[in-house]
Amino acid sequence: MTIPTAAAESAPADVAPSAPPTVDAAAAPGTTTPGATSEARRRPGQIAAWAAWDWGSAAFNAVITTFVFTRWLTSDAFVDPALVSAAGIEGADGGPSTDAVAAVLATHSAWLGWGLTAAGALIALVAPVVGARADAAGRHLRRLGRLTAVTVVLCAAMFLVRPAPDALAANVLLGLTLLALANVAFELASVHYNALLPTIASGRTLGRVSGLGWGAGYLGGIVLLLVLFVGFINPDVGWFGVTGEDGLDVRVSVLVAAGWFALFATPVLLALPDSPASTTPRPGVVASYRALARDVTGLWREARGTLLFLLASAVYRDGLAGVFTFGAVIASGTFGFDASQVVLFAIAANVVAGVSTVLAGFLDDRVGPKAVIVASLVGLLGTGVALFVLHDAGQGAFWVGGLALCAFVGPAQSSSRSLLARLAPAGRTSEMFGLYATTGRAASFLAPLAFSVAVTVSGSQHWGILGIMVVLLAGLVALLPLRLSGPDAPPAAPSDPTQDAQR
């Protein structure tokens, strides 16, 4: 999986939906019917096709929402050129023009946060209903194709955003509107994508297959960023004569990203058979929310610690997503990174996050997942505060502090899933991971909101760092008092099929 954002984080690829369409009613949750499992074993190409969507989604997560497009929208490319020139003349000592440029950058950064807050709130409202209705109706592939197409079209439309001197603010707002709508479409597509996992992997291989998708996302992000860096962003004159004039290098990169996603999202639509349309009436909006309320109420009575962990993790997981979502914006606006430097940092960030996550997995088994999560959150808080204090210390401070943040994000995400697997009541693992995804979506507005409020109140972009740290701290405070299972507690074992059928 690619780096996590408010969108990507809300629906992890290795989370099995609570009611996958191919699960036998008498089988343990998280397992497929024997026919589905043997079919997956006979046709490993289906697994590769499924993982290709994750590879392609790196175009959205890495290029659109994190390191290229959003950084460009919040850079001085969309500030009055005369003001930018005057600030350059003032130099390092600063002056009124420098302060004016900083104020515009802070405003645009706050707009980004407000846009993502609105998208997160909309996702939280509609995703549970979309998931419940989709499980009842079937046809996940068809809906995945439609929503992926909408995402691709919205990404391609971002080519129309340009730093026209007479309409700078209007173009920023256009870009942010397209970004927010694309976030909603991408998240809803992810609901259907995740629902396909149990149809291509058995209960014993869910983790491995999902890990393949996760790794494909990281690798896809690195490869695409390298292509864009070499071909368009770094050279003065890139492939096909593309230059930075009128932001063409970034705008073409967005087009390439849209095409990349469309290309690699296609195999899963062709290789996997779609689930048949169900004759069961789809639940209405009110019925979907009532079912969700029943699940939460039952969990409060039967496994209160697990529910409290879901709520605490939803808060800090959104903070983790915020680290990546606003990292490139802060690198550019506060620490002075240009487009090429941001892409190089993004490549390094993907590598560091991937390696640290793998290594933390071994530590998870030795000391327990909660210890890894707490240590990671403490490390994030310490590093984030240090970056805030050193906001005027130059680019070296961000290279060190930013990569340190990336090293902590992956382990916290991975151990959160591991801990939930240990906490899940027997036979209810899929249900718990469904709630894990739902609570993540419900909290997906917190980090953008905190970032925007901090920047708006202070009038300076670097204060947004503290906004994200507040969200992480809130999640840590909620997690610390919970008495959860220890490191030796095994993951929940499948329950007796007859009991599952009776439940």
Side-chain angles (χ1 to χ4, degrees), residues 43-57 139-146 148-149 189-190 192-197 199-200 209 260-275:
R43 302 183 62 182
Q46 292 184 344
I47 297 176
W50 178 83
W53 194 93
D54 240 333
W55 173 287
S57 71
R139 298 295 189 186
H140 284 291
L141 270 180
R142 179 178 298 182
R143 290 171 172 80
L144 173 63
R146 290 172 180 171
T148 300
S190 298
H192 300 287
Y193 173 71
N194 291 325
L196 296 174
L197 179 57
T199 72
I200 61 171
V209 173
W260 178 282
F261 193 9
L263 175 64
F264 289 103
T266 301
V268 69
L269 303 177
L270 301 177
L272 269 66
D274 202 355
S275 56

Side-chain angles (χ1 to χ4, degrees), residues 27-31 203 420-430 432-433 489-497 499-500 503:
T31 61
L420 182 58
R422 298 169 188 263
L423 292 173
R428 298 179 64 186
T429 304
S430 294
M432 293 304 100
F433 276 117
S495 64
D496 185 85
Q499 294 178 351
D500 289 336
R503 180 173 287 117

Side-chain angles (χ1 to χ4, degrees), residues 113-172:
W114 296 126
L116 294 178
T117 299
L122 182 58
I123 291 166
L125 286 173
V126 303
V129 176
V130 169
R133 291 169 65 85
D135 282 337
R139 298 295 189 186
H140 284 291
L141 270 180
R142 179 178 298 182
R143 290 171 172 80
L144 173 63
R146 290 172 180 171
L147 288 165
T148 300
V150 171
T151 306
V152 168
V153 169
L154 289 169
C155 291
M158 295 173 189
F159 178 82
L160 302 175
V161 179
R162 49 187 294 269
D166 57 341
L168 292 170
N171 274 276
V172 171

Side-chain angles (χ1 to χ4, degrees), residues 186-453:
F186 180 80
E187 280 301 306
L188 297 182
S190 298
V191 171
H192 300 287
Y193 173 71
N194 291 325
L196 296 174
L197 179 57
T199 72
I200 61 171
S202 66
R204 294 180 179 178
T205 61
L206 278 173
R208 278 175 282 170
V209 173
S210 138
L212 174 65
W214 186 278
Y218 270 120
L219 185 59
I222 294 171
V223 172
L224 179 56
L225 287 170
L226 279 173
V227 169
L228 297 180
F229 177 78
V230 172
F232 303 109
I233 295 175
N234 186 55
D236 293 331
V237 180
W239 295 341
F240 313 111
V242 171
T243 68
E245 184 70 23
D246 204 31
L248 189 60
D249 52 350
V250 174
R251 295 163 62 206
V252 169
S253 294
V254 168
L255 276 182
V256 172
W260 178 282
F261 193 9
L263 175 64
F264 289 103
T266 301
V268 69
L269 303 177
L270 301 177
L272 269 66
D274 202 355
S275 56
S278 174
T279 58
T280 304
R282 290 186 295 178
V285 173
V286 175
S288 298
Y289 282 112
R290 283 176 177 170
L292 179 62
R294 285 195 301 269
D295 290 341
V296 173
T297 301
L299 197 58
W300 176 261
R301 291 194 303 263
E302 301 169 15
R304 188 168 301 181
T306 302
L307 177 59
L308 293 176
F309 168 70
L310 286 170
L311 298 176
S313 73
V315 175
Y316 71 69
R317 282 186 287 137
D318 194 54
L320 298 175
V323 170
F324 275 108
T325 300
F326 297 103
V329 173
I330 293 169
S332 176
T334 299
F335 291 90
F337 279 49
D338 60 27
S340 296
Q341 291 171 319
V342 168
V343 173
L344 286 175
F345 178 83
I347 294 169
N350 271 284
V351 173
V352 169
V355 171
S356 66
T357 301
V358 172
L359 295 178
F362 294 97
L363 190 61
D364 183 309
D365 290 334
R366 292 183 63 87
V367 302
K370 183 181 177 183
V372 174
I373 297 169
V374 170
S376 297
L377 292 178
V378 170
L380 282 161
L381 289 168
T383 306
V385 171
L387 269 180
F388 171 78
V389 173
L390 299 174
H391 68 274
D392 56 355
Q395 296 181 357
F398 189 82
W399 271 104
V400 175
L403 291 180
L405 288 172
C406 295
F408 291 122
V409 169
Q413 295 283 13
S414 178
S415 290
S416 295
R417 291 191 297 270
S418 170
L419 179 53
L420 182 58
R422 298 169 188 263
L423 292 173
R428 298 179 64 186
T429 304
S430 294
E431 178 188 347
M432 293 304 100
F433 276 117
L435 289 173
Y436 182 84
T438 299
T439 54
R441 295 187 190 103
S444 62
F445 66 92
L446 291 177
L449 178 63
F451 179 86
S452 296
V453 169

